[in-house]
């Protein structure tokens, strides 16, 4: 049973055990800058470029059918390229897991320890401290907390490992106290 968040001093540490799996890392990568660019901005850019190519073909003397075919072909090609980039973005965490672990592993027991100094990540490779002053941004989603360092994803804490809303609020208090750029749900 966790204490009420308002009664917990921030100089005490709080540990959350979790298993970071490849699907969690893939989800977290969708919230990265490159994931945001691909899933939010790239589609309108591709739509604009395909319309521009069709318009330029029409202005150059191509028939309306040929211009429409050029527009459709470039839009179709852009969709395949965007899909390939998205797939690569989702597979990149799998590659990173293989690269750093030396083998494909489905789960790794990790602990996120929230302290006054920062978030300490404990794994099989040993502890790593992510100081609060190095965390540039925190985003809370339905699936968990994403911690960024210099715009790049540093760690992901899945919400399924929290012991309910009380523990989520405790994590939010640590974040509010130490990170200026935070988008939190509660």
């Amino acid at each position: 049973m966790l204490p009420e968040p308002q009664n917990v001093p921030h100089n005490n540490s709080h540990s959350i055990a979790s298993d970071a799996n490849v699907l969690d890392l893939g989800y977290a990568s969708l919230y990265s800058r490159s994931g945001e660019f691909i899933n939010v901005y790239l589609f309108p850019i591709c739509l604009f470029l395909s319309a521009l190519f069709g318009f330029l073909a029409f202005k150059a003397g191509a028939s309306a059918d040929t211009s429409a075919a050029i527009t459709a072909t470039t839009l179709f090609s852009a969709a395949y390229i965007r899909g390939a980039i998205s797939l690569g973005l989702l597979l990149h965490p799998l590659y990173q897991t293989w690269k750093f672990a030396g083998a494909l592993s489905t789960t790794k027991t990790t602990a996120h320890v929230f302290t006054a100094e920062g978030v300490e990540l404990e794994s099989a490779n040993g502890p790593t401290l992510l100081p609060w002053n190095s965390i540039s941004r925190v985003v809370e989603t339905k699936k968990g907390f994403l911690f960024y360092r210099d715009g790049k994803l540093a760690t992901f804490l899945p919400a399924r490992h929290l012991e309910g809303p009380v523990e989520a609020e405790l994590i939010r208090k640590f974040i509010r106290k130490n990170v200026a750029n935070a988008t939190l749900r509660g």
Side-chain angles (χ1 to χ4, degrees):
M1 183 79 164
L2 293 170
E4 288 298 315
Q6 62 268 20
N7 299 331
V8 177
H10 292 290
N11 55 3
N12 290 345
S13 63
H14 183 74
S15 178
I16 300 169
S18 65
D19 62 339
N21 63 36
V22 175
L23 294 177
D24 288 333
L25 297 174
Y27 170 78
S29 71
L30 291 175
Y31 280 84
S32 66
R33 283 187 180 171
S34 54
E36 179 183 5
F37 175 76
I38 290 167
N39 294 307
V40 175
Y41 301 111
L42 192 58
F43 177 72
I45 291 169
C46 292
L47 193 62
F48 173 77
L49 288 176
S50 64
L52 180 67
F53 289 152
F55 176 75
L56 291 176
F58 184 73
K59 283 297 193 181
S63 68
D65 289 340
T66 304
S67 297
I70 290 172
T71 301
T73 302
T74 55
L75 189 58
F76 189 71
S77 300
Y80 269 108
I81 292 169
R82 182 176 165 262
I85 293 170
S86 294
L87 183 63
L89 182 67
L90 289 173
L91 291 177
H92 181 71
L94 183 65
Y95 168 72
Q96 291 296 332
T97 301
W98 172 77
K99 179 179 162 187
F100 291 120
L104 293 175
S105 113
T106 55
T107 61
K108 261 189 192 177
T109 301
T110 304
H112 290 77
V113 181
F114 291 85
T115 67
E117 292 80 34
V119 181
E120 187 174 314
L121 308 171
E122 296 178 357
S123 67
N125 298 335
T128 303
L129 180 66
L130 185 60
W132 288 116
N133 62 4
S134 72
I135 298 175
S136 58
R137 180 177 169 216
V138 178
V139 176
E140 181 184 5
T141 68
K142 289 187 310 187
K143 302 253 183 194
F145 293 90
L146 299 138
F147 294 85
Y148 293 88
R149 174 188 264 175
D150 299 326
K152 295 183 180 175
L153 187 67
T155 187
F156 174 62
L157 175 62
R160 69 178 181 275
H161 296 292
L162 300 178
E163 293 182 19
V166 173
E167 191 167 38
E169 186 56 35
L170 179 63
I171 301 306
R172 286 186 200 109
K173 284 192 172 222
F174 272 104
I175 293 168
R176 282 187 192 107
K177 182 176 192 256
N178 296 296
V179 180
N181 186 9
T183 306
L184 303 173
R185 297 184 62 178

